[in-house]
Amino acid sequence: MKKIKILVPLDGSDRSMHSVNWLKKFFSKDAISITLINVMEIILTNEMMDPVNSTGYDYITEDSNLVLDKAIKELEGYEVEKVTALGYAADEILRKAEKDSFDLIIMTKCSKNGLYRLIGSVTSKVVRKAKISVTVIPD
């Protein structure tokens, strides 16, 4: 039986872990293959990206690994891969989903106020542009 490939973006917040907890309730360990992705967003200054030297990238990778490793502990027994990306969160999530032919993206909605308060700007863009199903989990 072919496993369902699921992409789970995590931003390091406790809220984003709701996706992991939801996934455990609805999918058995032998039915799915999970990829956790943490995107470290680019910061532009004067429309230029500050160069990331190797020391800076190592620091970013360490932070990302902390986020991903926390989720991996929660998913003990599941087949899990972790990915760190550098870029704009929605773009990197969509790129990974298409490149590796995922079947489903599971994300937690944002709890911010304002224009994107219903589901968040990153989640909103992923829902609008994804070529696969996106499940949005309430926070």
Side-chain angles (χ1 to χ4, degrees), residues 1-15:
M1 182 172 117
K2 183 182 174 222
K3 289 187 175 187
I4 299 168
K5 289 180 65 174
I6 300 176
L7 181 63
V8 182
L10 300 172
D11 65 8
S13 67
D14 288 338
R15 173 190 47 77

Side-chain angles (χ1 to χ4, degrees), residues 101-120:
S101 302
F102 282 88
D103 300 304
L104 176 65
I105 300 170
I106 299 175
M107 302 178 73
T108 305
K109 78 179 190 84
C110 181
S111 60
K112 295 178 183 175
N113 293 322
L115 181 61
Y116 292 105
R117 71 177 165 76
L118 293 176
I119 61 172

Side-chain angles (χ1 to χ4, degrees), residues 26-91:
F26 289 94
F27 293 97
S28 68
K29 294 176 182 178
D30 58 344
I32 61 173
S33 162
I34 305 164
T35 298
L36 304 172
I37 185 169
N38 177 251
V39 180
M40 305 305 288
E41 291 208 291
I42 296 172
I43 298 174
L44 297 178
T45 39
N46 297 328
E47 297 185 24
M48 296 177 64
M49 185 176 79
D50 289 333
V52 179
N53 59 38
S54 60
T55 306
Y57 189 75
D58 289 345
Y59 180 77
I60 289 170
T61 303
E62 281 178 32
D63 285 352
S64 183
N65 280 330
L66 289 173
V67 169
L68 297 170
D69 289 343
K70 178 181 175 185
I72 287 173
K73 284 181 185 173
E74 292 293 321
L75 292 166
E76 186 177 335
Y78 285 87
E79 180 183 326
V80 182
E81 176 189 4
K82 65 181 184 178
V83 174
T84 296
L86 181 64
Y88 294 107
D91 295 340

